[in-house]
Amino acid sequence: MSVTENEIVENVEWLAKNGADPAGGMTRLLFTKEWLAAQLALKQRFEEAGMVASFDEVGNLYGTYSGTDGSEDIIMTGSHVDTVIQGGKYDGALGVIGGFLAVKHLVEEYGRPKKNLTVISMAEEEGSRFPFVFWGSKNLVGSVPASEIADVVDPEGISFADAMRDCGFSLRTSPTSAADHMKAFVELHIEQGNTLEMEDIPVGVVNAIVGQRRYNITLKGEANHAGTTRMCYRHDVIQVFAEIVNRSLGKAVDEGDPLVLTFGHIEVVPNTVNVVPGDAMFTMDCRHTDRAALVRFTEQIEADMAEIAAEHGVEIEIDRWMDADPVPMDPAIVKCVESACKEVGVRYRVMHSGAGHDSQIIAPHIPTGMVFVRSVKGISHSPEEYTEPADLKEGIRTLGAALHALAY
Amino acid sequence: MSVTENEIVENVEWLAKNGADPAGGMTRLLFTKEWLAAQLALKQRFEEAGMVASFDEVGNLYGTYSGTDGSEDIIMTGSHVDTVIQGGKYDGALGVIGGFLAVKHLVEEYGRPKKNLTVISMAEEEGSRFPFVFWGSKNLVGSVPASEIADVVDPEGISFADAMRDCGFSLRTSPTSAADHMKAFVELHIEQGNTLEMEDIPVGVVNAIVGQRRYNITLKGEANHAGTTRMCYRHDVIQVFAEIVNRSLGKAVDEGDPLVLTFGHIEVVPNTVNVVPGDAMFTMDCRHTDRAALVRFTEQIEADMAEIAAEHGVEIEIDRWMDADPVPMDPAIVKCVESACKEVGVRYRVMHSGAGHDSQIIAPHIPTGMVFVRSVKGISHSPEEYTEPADLKEGIRTLGAALHALAY
C-alpha cells in the first residue's frame, strides 16, 4: 500500500485544526462547534474520496465504499472523533484518519471491494464533556435509552439532549443500524502505554481488553498528637495504608503480567505534620485480561486489607464501585491482523489493551480486533501525545492489509 | 493543702469566660481583646489575693507574694494564657490558675514564704495568631530582638508590633528581668497525651521535653496510565512512600519508647484513580528525649529513604526544616516534684513530654520542672480537652508541695 508519511501527517494535522486548544493540545468535546466542524469536514473529505457519507441519528459519521457482491455485509474500521480536554491529536482521531487512508488506498490500488467497506467516525468515547462514555459505539450496536441521558448535564449545566439537538442530532429510533450487517470491526489506535516502546516494536495486535475493578477504601483510626502519643497507643491510618499498598503491590508483582494494580488517590485527615492521621480515603484500580484471575486476586487483596486494618484497630470500608469484565477480541480477527503484519513485513507483538476502547463495546456483538501503534513515552491524554510518522504508516498498512483480507 | 475541686473548677470556668468561642471551645489569641481581658482580670484577682501584680513590657503578667528573707530570689510557677483557635480551657490556663491557687493556699496555710513566690501568666506560647512561638517565655529569659518580629503579621495582615502596641505593650528594653533572680520554675500542665490515662495514673513528673526533627520529603517519579503501564515499567511514588513508611515505622517500634515517628501529611499528583502517581510530598516528624538517639535514628531513616527511592528510579529530596534539641528538666527539681508527690500521697510516674512547653525555653537558663495531670483521651487543642477535677486537684496539691519545699 502506497500511503506516505507525508500524507498521513497532513491528514492528522488537517483534522487537528478542529479543536486546537489555545491552552495547548486538542479539546474537541461531544456536540460542540469544534466537534461538529470536524465531523462535517470528515463527511466532505469522505465524499471527495468517492464514498457515500452519512450520519446516523446520534452523530456517528459513516463513509462507505459499496461492495461488488451486492450483499449488505459491512467490514468496518474507525474510532472516535472526540478528545479529552487538552488531549492529543492521535487518541481516537488516528483510527478515523488512518481508517480513511487505508480504505481510500485499498480502493485506489485494488478497486472496489467485494463487501461494503465503511469508515466510522464515532461521536464520542471519552466521557470528557458529559459523565457518559461510549456514546458512539453504544449507539452503533444498540440504542441508548432516553432514560440514561435524561439527567446528564455538562459542567456548565447544558443537558445532553439540548447539546445533541443543537447539533442536529437526536436519540436513535430506527430499528436497524449498520451493526446489523457488520461482519467485522477493526480499530486502529495508539497504544497509550509504553510496552511497544520498551520492546522496540512498532505495532501491537490486540487480543483482549482488560477487565477493571475500582475501589474507594475508607479508613477510620484515631487522630492523635504526634509527640505525646506513644507508638503502642496509635491507630494510625497512614501505617495501615502503607502496609496495604506494600503487601498488595508485592502480590501484584508476584502475580505478574497482565495484572496491573494502582493506588492513584489518597487523602488524609487532618493531613498535618504533627498529628497522627485519623482518617484516610484511597482508591485502588486493578486490571486483568482474565475475569477469574481478576476476581481471585482482588478478593485476596480485599481480605488482606481487612486483616491489616483489624491488626491496627482501624475501621475499614471497602467500596467496589466499578467491576467491568475483560473483553476478548475475536480469535479469527486477531489471526487476520497477525497475518496482515506478516504480509506487510512489520515487527509486531500480540498484546492486551490496558485501556478501554470502543472495540470493547462492539466486540460482544461483532467479530472485532484492534491494531496498536507505538506511543512515544506511552503518553496520552496530553498535548505531548505523539507517534512517529513511520509507526503511523506501519499501523495503517497493517490495517489496510487486514481490511483487504476481510473485504476483498 | 485545703484547695477544693469546686474552687478549682470555679476558677477555670471564670478565666474561660474570656475568649469562649461561639463556634466552640476557647479562642484567646495574643493581643486580642479577649486576651487582654483575661490578663487584666487575672491581675485584679492576684491583687485581691494580696499579691503585688504587674506586667512586663511585652505582656507577661506577674503576681508575687514577697518573701520574708529580704533577698531578691524568686520561685516561680505559671504557664501561658493564650490558646489555639477553638482550643480547650486547660492548655496553658491550668498552669496559671493552678499556680495561683497553689501559692494562694500556701500563703493562707503557711503564711508568707521565705523567698519571693511568683505566678506568671505568660503572654503567648502557641503561635496561633502570629507565626511566632514562645513570645512569653523567650522574653522572660531574654529579649526578642525587634528584627525577629519586624515582618510578622497575622492572617488579617495586622503586624505583630501594631497588635502589641494597641494592647499597651512594646518590645522589652529593660536590661533586667524577673529571670535574673529566679531560682526555680515549676510549670503545671495537662499531659496532652494518653500515657497517664492508659496507665491509670493521675500525675506525671516530667524529666525531659523531647527534641524534634521535622522533614518535608519530595518524590519525583513518573505519572503513567494505570491500565497500560506494566508493573515493571513504573516509577510509582506511592509505592516508594509506602515502603518508606512501612520500614520506618517498623524501625520506630523496634527502637521503642520514648521515640515517636509520624507521617502526618501526604499529597500526591495527579491524585486520580486511574493514573500511577508521578509526584508526592510528605512530612516526617520524629521525636526523642535523647539527642544522640534522635540523630542516629533519623540519619538511618534518611539513608533508607534514599535507598528505597533509588530502587524504584524515583528522585527524592529530603528537607529537614526543624531540628530542635531535647531539653532535660533540672534533676534537683525533678526530685523535688517526686518528693512532693510522695508527700501529697498521689500516684505518679516520671515521664517525658512529647509536646513543647514554655519550660523548654526556661530550662536552659533556670532550674525547671513540670507537673502533668492526666488528659481525658489525651485530647488537647480541641473543645473536648478535659481533665477530671479530682486530677486537677492532685496536680495543684503536688505543685503546692513542690513550691513549699522550694520557697519556704
Side-chain angles (χ1 to χ4, degrees):
Chain A
M1 184 183 291
S2 63
V3 66
T4 66
E5 292 180 23
N6 269 353
E7 188 182 7
I8 297 164
V9 171
E10 266 171 26
N11 273 273
V12 167
E13 296 300 330
W14 165 80
L15 185 59
K17 284 179 195 153
N18 304 288
D21 192 315
M26 301 294 308
T27 301
R28 194 165 57 220
L29 306 181
L30 178 64
F31 300 142
T32 58
K33 65 178 197 299
E34 297 80 11
W35 174 91
L36 187 59
Q39 288 289 66
L40 292 174
L42 283 166
K43 182 166 185 280
Q44 187 179 350
R45 182 150 290 202
F46 290 176
E47 287 168 345
E48 286 165 3
M51 293 172 155
V52 175
S54 64
F55 287 99
D56 65 14
E57 297 135 298
V58 300
N60 291 318
L61 171 66
Y62 306 80
T64 300
Y65 290 114
S66 59
T68 55
D69 71 356
S71 78
E72 295 189 278
D73 293 353
I74 301 171
I75 304 300
M76 196 181 285
T77 186
S79 189
H80 59 96
V81 75
D82 70 314
T83 70
V84 299
I85 294 168
Q86 288 194 261
K89 294 172 184 169
Y90 303 89
D91 181 355
L94 175 65
V96 179
I97 285 296
F100 165 68
L101 291 173
V103 301
K104 177 170 169 280
H105 278 272
L106 283 179
V107 170
E108 283 170 10
E109 293 170 35
Y110 301 98
R112 272 176 62 197
K114 266 203 209 132
K115 296 202 169 85
N116 298 300
L117 192 47
T118 297
V119 181
I120 183 168
S121 176
M122 279 180 276
E124 195 273 344
E125 185 251 23
E126 299 284 4
S128 293
R129 177 174 180 188
F130 298 98
F132 190 98
V133 292
F134 298 119
W135 176 251
S137 48
K138 282 177 178 168
N139 276 290
L140 175 63
V141 297
S143 298
V144 177
S147 60
E148 281 194 27
I149 57 145
D151 300 327
V152 174
V153 295
D154 76 2
E156 290 172 10
I158 299 169
S159 77
F160 194 101
D162 286 348
M164 177 162 57
R165 199 187 43 235
D166 288 350
C167 280
F169 298 107
S170 61
L171 286 173
R172 211 166 84 73
T173 52
S174 65
T176 60
S177 97
D180 300 340
H181 304 288
M182 281 169 70
K183 298 302 168 200
F185 179 71
V186 186
E187 181 178 11
L188 173 66
H189 208 282
I190 56 169
E191 182 199 349
Q192 300 182 268
N194 62 0
T195 295
L196 292 174
E197 183 174 82
M198 287 298 191
E199 299 182 358
D200 191 25
I201 296 174
V203 166
V205 177
V206 178
N207 60 359
I209 297 177
V210 291
Q212 304 185 28
R213 289 187 146 191
R214 293 188 185 173
Y215 297 79
N216 285 352
I217 296 125
T218 311
L219 300 175
K220 187 156 191 54
E222 196 174 279
N224 273 311
H225 193 295
T228 62
T229 314
R230 290 161 65 187
M231 301 306 284
C232 58
Y233 293 144
R234 296 182 174 201
H235 305 280
D236 180 353
V237 292
I238 276 289
Q239 183 170 22
V240 170
F241 172 71
E243 284 187 29
I244 286 172
V245 170
N246 231 28
R247 197 190 297 181
S248 305
L249 291 180
K251 287 191 176 181
V253 169
D254 292 346
E255 180 81 17
D257 292 328
L259 184 129
V260 284
L261 183 68
T262 303
F263 296 89
H265 176 94
I266 166 87
E267 52 188 287
V268 160
V269 177
N271 211 23
T272 302
V273 58
N274 60 350
V275 180
V276 182
D279 292 273
M281 197 289 278
F282 63 97
T283 62
M284 185 173 83
D285 174 315
C286 187
R287 308 190 192 192
H288 200 294
T289 51
D290 179 64
R291 169 82 189 164
L294 179 64
V295 168
R296 178 184 45 72
F297 183 82
T298 52
E299 282 179 356
Q300 179 60 57
I301 299 298
E302 288 175 45
D304 286 356
M305 288 196 284
E307 181 187 307
I308 292 167
E311 276 167 18
H312 292 276
V314 164
E315 290 171 39
I316 187 165
E317 257 184 55
I318 302 174
D319 171 24
R320 185 172 65 231
W321 52 270
M322 184 196 280
D323 190 4
D325 282 348
V327 179
M329 297 294 98
D330 183 78
I333 304 286
V334 173
K335 190 158 280 183
C336 169
V337 177
E338 275 202 77
S339 302
C341 289
K342 289 173 188 158
E343 193 188 319
V344 162
V346 62
R347 281 176 304 113
Y348 72 97
R349 66 163 282 171
V350 177
M351 65 188 294
H352 70 274
S353 170
H357 293 292
D358 287 312
S359 286
Q360 78 193 57
I361 304 299
I362 299 168
H365 304 272
I366 314 284
T368 294
M370 291 191 77
V371 180
F372 272 174
V373 290
R374 176 158 53 181
S375 297
V376 171
K377 292 188 187 164
I379 296 170
S380 73
H381 287 192
S382 156
E384 287 165 47
E385 185 179 282
Y386 186 64
T387 293
E388 296 286 352
D391 289 350
L392 296 175
K393 183 175 161 185
E394 298 288 36
I396 291 170
R397 291 176 70 226
T398 300
L399 176 66
L403 294 174
H404 184 262
L406 291 162
Y408 281 80
Chain B
M1 185 184 287
S2 61
V3 65
T4 65
E5 291 179 24
N6 268 354
E7 188 182 8
I8 296 164
V9 172
E10 265 172 27
N11 272 274
V12 167
E13 297 298 331
W14 165 79
L15 184 59
K17 284 179 195 156
N18 302 289
D21 192 315
M26 299 296 308
T27 301
R28 195 164 56 219
L29 305 181
L30 178 64
F31 299 143
T32 58
K33 65 178 196 300
E34 296 80 12
W35 174 93
L36 187 59
Q39 287 290 64
L40 292 174
L42 281 165
K43 180 166 187 280
Q44 187 180 352
R45 182 150 290 200
F46 289 175
E47 287 168 343
E48 286 166 1
M51 292 171 154
V52 175
S54 64
F55 286 99
D56 64 14
E57 295 137 300
V58 300
N60 291 319
L61 170 68
Y62 305 80
T64 298
Y65 288 113
S66 59
T68 55
D69 71 358
S71 78
E72 295 191 279
D73 293 354
I74 301 172
I75 303 301
M76 195 182 285
T77 185
S79 188
H80 60 96
V81 75
D82 71 314
T83 69
V84 297
I85 293 167
Q86 289 195 261
K89 295 173 183 168
Y90 303 90
D91 181 355
L94 175 64
V96 178
I97 286 296
F100 165 68
L101 291 173
V103 300
K104 176 169 169 281
H105 278 272
L106 282 179
V107 169
E108 283 170 8
E109 293 169 35
Y110 300 99
R112 275 174 60 195
K114 263 200 206 132
K115 297 201 170 84
N116 296 300
L117 192 48
T118 295
V119 181
I120 183 168
S121 175
M122 278 179 276
E124 194 274 344
E125 183 251 24
E126 300 283 4
S128 293
R129 178 175 180 187
F130 298 98
F132 189 99
V133 291
F134 296 121
W135 176 251
S137 49
K138 282 177 178 168
N139 276 290
L140 174 63
V141 297
S143 297
V144 176
S147 60
E148 282 194 29
I149 57 145
D151 300 325
V152 175
V153 295
D154 75 4
E156 289 173 10
I158 299 167
S159 76
F160 194 101
D162 286 348
M164 176 161 59
R165 199 185 45 235
D166 288 349
C167 280
F169 299 108
S170 60
L171 285 173
R172 211 165 85 73
T173 53
S174 65
T176 61
S177 96
D180 299 340
H181 303 290
M182 280 169 72
K183 298 300 166 201
F185 178 72
V186 186
E187 182 178 11
L188 173 66
H189 207 284
I190 57 169
E191 181 199 348
Q192 300 183 269
N194 62 0
T195 296
L196 292 175
E197 183 175 82
M198 287 296 191
E199 300 183 356
D200 191 25
I201 295 174
V203 166
V205 177
V206 178
N207 60 0
I209 296 175
V210 290
Q212 305 185 28
R213 288 185 146 193
R214 292 189 187 174
Y215 297 79
N216 285 353
I217 296 126
T218 311
L219 300 176
K220 186 153 191 59
E222 197 173 277
N224 273 310
H225 194 295
T228 62
T229 315
R230 290 163 63 187
M231 301 307 285
C232 58
Y233 293 143
R234 297 183 174 200
H235 305 280
D236 180 355
V237 293
I238 276 289
Q239 183 170 23
V240 171
F241 171 72
E243 284 187 29
I244 287 172
V245 170
N246 232 27
R247 196 190 296 181
S248 305
L249 290 181
K251 287 192 174 178
V253 169
D254 291 347
E255 180 82 17
D257 294 327
L259 184 130
V260 284
L261 182 68
T262 304
F263 297 88
H265 177 94
I266 168 85
E267 52 189 285
V268 162
V269 176
N271 212 24
T272 302
V273 59
N274 58 349
V275 181
V276 182
D279 292 273
M281 197 287 279
F282 63 96
T283 62
M284 185 172 83
D285 174 316
C286 188
R287 309 190 191 192
H288 200 294
T289 50
D290 179 65
R291 169 81 188 163
L294 179 64
V295 169
R296 176 184 45 72
F297 183 83
T298 52
E299 283 180 355
Q300 180 58 60
I301 298 297
E302 287 175 44
D304 286 355
M305 289 196 284
E307 181 188 306
I308 292 167
E311 276 167 20
H312 292 277
V314 164
E315 291 172 38
I316 187 166
E317 258 185 53
I318 302 174
D319 171 25
R320 186 173 62 230
W321 53 270
M322 184 196 280
D323 190 4
D325 283 348
V327 180
M329 298 294 99
D330 183 79
I333 304 286
V334 172
K335 190 157 279 182
C336 169
V337 176
E338 276 202 78
S339 302
C341 289
K342 288 172 188 159
E343 192 189 321
V344 162
V346 63
R347 282 176 303 113
Y348 72 96
R349 67 164 280 171
V350 176
M351 64 188 294
H352 69 275
S353 171
H357 293 291
D358 287 311
S359 286
Q360 78 194 55
I361 304 299
I362 299 169
H365 304 272
I366 313 286
T368 295
M370 291 190 78
V371 181
F372 271 174
V373 290
R374 174 159 54 183
S375 296
V376 171
K377 291 186 188 164
I379 296 169
S380 73
H381 287 191
S382 157
E384 286 165 48
E385 185 180 281
Y386 186 64
T387 292
E388 296 286 351
D391 290 350
L392 296 175
K393 184 175 162 184
E394 297 287 36
I396 292 171
R397 290 176 70 225
T398 299
L399 176 66
L403 294 174
H404 183 261
L406 292 163
Y408 281 79

